[in-house]
């Protein structure tokens, strides 16, 4: 087999939290008085909460203080966490779960590589808290995607060299991070539109033909 491990992004790959991020950033943008739309939201995928706020503030004429920024970041996360409460194992698609189960049963190691600091609580909501062989997330990195750190940490935790890891990503920043980590990448969902990955998954289960 060409790959020993698969490293999954979380938001937009394993679960559909995009609408929760969108809804909470929309409320923060309205409060600040800056424009927020799908185009800006597209740039928020895969990047840290802090970097998201800086992207949203690009069109704001005034410089916010560090304290103001911190308040907005906390507020965004509170709104987001409230929305996450709605998630349950029923939000994990049958196709995603059965594909991962099959990879696991064939001895492929599975990891999460996410910029989110909420990754572990999302996994818990989905009933996946003890499922992955390694979790690398926003709590163990200093640079978020497109920096390769989160994926390199995942490969280190798994004990599998980068060249033998396949990343599954929905974000441009994530595809770039996989490349920078010297890992092959399969784009999924929103990620397929960039045509920059080694594979484009039409269906999540296409992973089986790539990996097994
Ligand atoms: C990524 C999302 O998974 O996590 C980004 O794609 C988000 O949009 C980032 O900004 C950080 O998430 P959190 O949960 O730490 O605010
Ligand atoms: Mg994502």
């Amino acid at each position: 087999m060409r790959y020993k491990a698969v490293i999954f992004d979380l938001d937009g790959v394993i679960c559909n939290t995009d609408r929760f991020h969108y809804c909470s950033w929309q409320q923060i943008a309205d409060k600040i008085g800056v424009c927020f739309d799908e185009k800006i939201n597209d740039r928020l995928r895969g990047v840290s909460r802090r970097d998201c706020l800086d992207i949203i503030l690009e069109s704001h004429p005034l410089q916010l203080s560090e304290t103001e920024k911190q308040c907005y970041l906390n507020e965004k996360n509170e709104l987001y966490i409230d929305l996450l409460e709605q998630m349950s194992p029923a939000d994990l698609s049958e196709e995603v779960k059965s594909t991962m189960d099959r990879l696991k049963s064939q001895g492929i190691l599975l990891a999460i590589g996410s910029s989110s600091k909420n990754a572990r609580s999302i996994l818990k909501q989905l009933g996946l808290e003890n499922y992955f062989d390694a979790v690398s997330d926003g709590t163990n990195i200093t640079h978020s995607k497109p920096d390769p750190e989160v994926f390199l940490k995942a490969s280190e935790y798994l004990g599998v060299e980068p060249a033998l890891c396949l990343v599954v990503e929905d974000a441009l920043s994530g595809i770039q991070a996989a490349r920078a980590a010297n890992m092959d990448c399969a784009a999924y969902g929103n990620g397929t539109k960039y045509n920059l990955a080694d594979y484009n998954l039409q269906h999540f289960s296409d992973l089986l033909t790539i990996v097994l």
Side-chain angles (χ1 to χ4, degrees):
M1 280 186 276
R2 178 151 177 209
Y3 305 106
K4 280 192 172 170
V6 181
I7 305 174
F8 298 94
D9 171 49
L10 180 63
D11 295 305
V13 170
I14 302 292
C15 58
N16 196 356
T17 43
D18 201 60
R19 63 194 189 283
F20 299 150
H21 278 299
Y22 190 96
C23 179
S24 29
W25 278 127
Q26 176 77 71
Q27 290 180 65
I28 298 301
D30 288 349
K31 203 163 177 185
I32 300 171
V34 280
C35 160
F36 183 66
D37 56 21
E38 284 292 348
K39 215 170 150 204
I40 297 171
N41 186 59
D42 224 23
R43 294 175 57 206
L44 307 187
R45 291 196 178 93
V47 304
S48 69
R49 200 180 307 158
R50 174 61 199 236
D51 290 348
C52 289
L53 181 61
D54 287 338
I55 290 170
I56 289 168
L57 288 172
E58 279 174 9
S59 65
H60 193 54
L62 302 175
Q63 178 76 31
L64 298 190
S65 70
E66 205 39 57
T67 319
E68 283 172 306
K69 284 187 184 181
Q70 204 47 59
C71 279
Y72 286 127
L73 289 171
N74 292 343
E75 198 176 334
K76 187 272 171 181
N77 200 44
E78 281 163 19
L79 292 165
Y80 180 62
I81 285 174
D82 276 353
L83 294 170
L84 284 181
E85 289 291 313
Q86 303 168 22
M87 280 180 88
S88 76
D91 290 298
L92 179 64
S93 106
E94 188 45 52
E95 185 186 0
V96 168
K97 183 64 168 51
S98 60
T99 301
M100 294 196 302
D101 283 349
R102 177 109 177 87
L103 292 173
K104 239 185 188 218
S105 73
Q106 296 301 302
I108 303 293
L109 295 177
L110 307 184
I112 289 291
S114 165
S115 301
S116 173
K117 292 188 168 158
N118 294 301
R120 288 198 187 259
S121 60
I122 294 171
L123 291 174
K124 193 159 181 231
Q125 296 275 112
L126 294 171
L128 292 175
E129 64 266 52
N130 297 313
Y131 187 82
F132 292 92
D133 299 292
V135 175
S136 171
D137 64 21
T139 63
N140 62 254
I141 53 170
T142 44
H143 304 289
S144 83
K145 301 166 189 176
D147 190 282
E149 187 180 5
V150 75
F151 293 138
L152 291 174
K153 281 268 161 61
S155 91
E156 185 188 317
Y157 296 159
L158 290 171
V160 177
E161 60 178 287
L164 298 178
C165 294
L166 175 70
V167 168
V168 185
E169 259 296 346
D170 74 312
L172 177 59
S173 63
I175 297 169
Q176 292 166 335
R179 290 216 161 286
N182 191 29
M183 294 177 186
D184 280 0
C185 183
Y188 179 61
N190 172 78
T192 59
K193 72 182 179 201
Y194 304 109
N195 263 322
L196 285 173
D198 301 278
Y199 314 95
N200 275 338
L201 304 179
Q202 296 310 316
H203 304 282
F204 197 88
S205 58
D206 293 347
L207 269 180
L208 299 176
T209 39
I210 296 167
V211 178
L212 300 181

